[in-house]
Amino acid sequence: MTTTITRHDQSAMMIRAEDKILAIDFGTLTPAERLALLPTPDATLVSHQHGDHFSPDHLRAFGAPVFGPQDAVSQLQEDMTTTVLRAGETVDVAGFTVTAIEVDHGPKLSVPIENLGFVIDCPGGHAIF
């Protein structure tokens, strides 16, 4: 089976495997008008709450379930479908098996944040980190 990864603005990407699409880290650096041109994802992942990786408005526009760390997910509206991920957890995300891992954001933070990386096992057998 074919797995395709399409990179978008800044850190945003979409992974398509079989008939499923997973969106990752669509933040404010992706122009809102561009979202309408993209395929609708089956689910979205958020690595952390910084604006270049996380936009509540973009996530709402996608309308797909959102998976991410507590401090990001807590900023989303109650009517959105959300799941908090913690480092070490493995969950099914729209047919993708996602393991959240703790990653270091870097030393230039004024306030520590929860930052996740993802090991993604795609439908069809490919794995992505």
Side-chain angles (χ1 to χ4, degrees), residues 22-73:
L22 182 62
I24 304 171
D25 280 355
F26 274 82
T28 57
L29 297 179
T30 299
E33 58 274 6
R34 190 168 301 148
L35 296 180
L37 304 174
L38 298 175
T40 302
D42 295 288
T44 58
L45 294 176
V46 174
S47 64
H48 65 288
Q49 65 175 320
H50 287 159
D52 58 333
H53 294 257
F54 172 70
S55 167
D57 291 338
H58 289 13
L59 295 171
R60 176 169 285 291
F62 278 145
V66 178
F67 296 77
Q70 174 67 46
D71 56 1
V73 168

Side-chain angles (χ1 to χ4, degrees), residues 23-128:
I24 304 171
D25 280 355
F26 274 82
T28 57
L29 297 179
T30 299
E33 58 274 6
R34 190 168 301 148
L35 296 180
L37 304 174
L38 298 175
T40 302
D42 295 288
T44 58
L45 294 176
V46 174
S47 64
H48 65 288
Q49 65 175 320
H50 287 159
D52 58 333
H53 294 257
F54 172 70
S55 167
D57 291 338
H58 289 13
L59 295 171
R60 176 169 285 291
F62 278 145
V66 178
F67 296 77
Q70 174 67 46
D71 56 1
V73 168
S74 68
Q75 296 179 49
L76 300 174
Q77 295 181 358
E78 290 182 16
D79 64 336
M80 295 175 73
T81 302
T82 61
T83 300
V84 173
L85 291 179
R86 291 177 179 78
E89 289 184 332
T90 299
V91 295
D92 178 78
V93 178
F96 296 83
T97 301
V98 175
T99 300
I101 60 171
E102 184 177 353
V103 293
D104 182 11
H105 186 282
K108 296 184 180 182
L109 294 177
S110 57
V111 176
I113 62 164
E114 191 173 3
N115 192 55
L116 297 176
F118 305 108
V119 176
I120 303 168
D121 291 304
C122 302
H126 294 97
I128 300 165

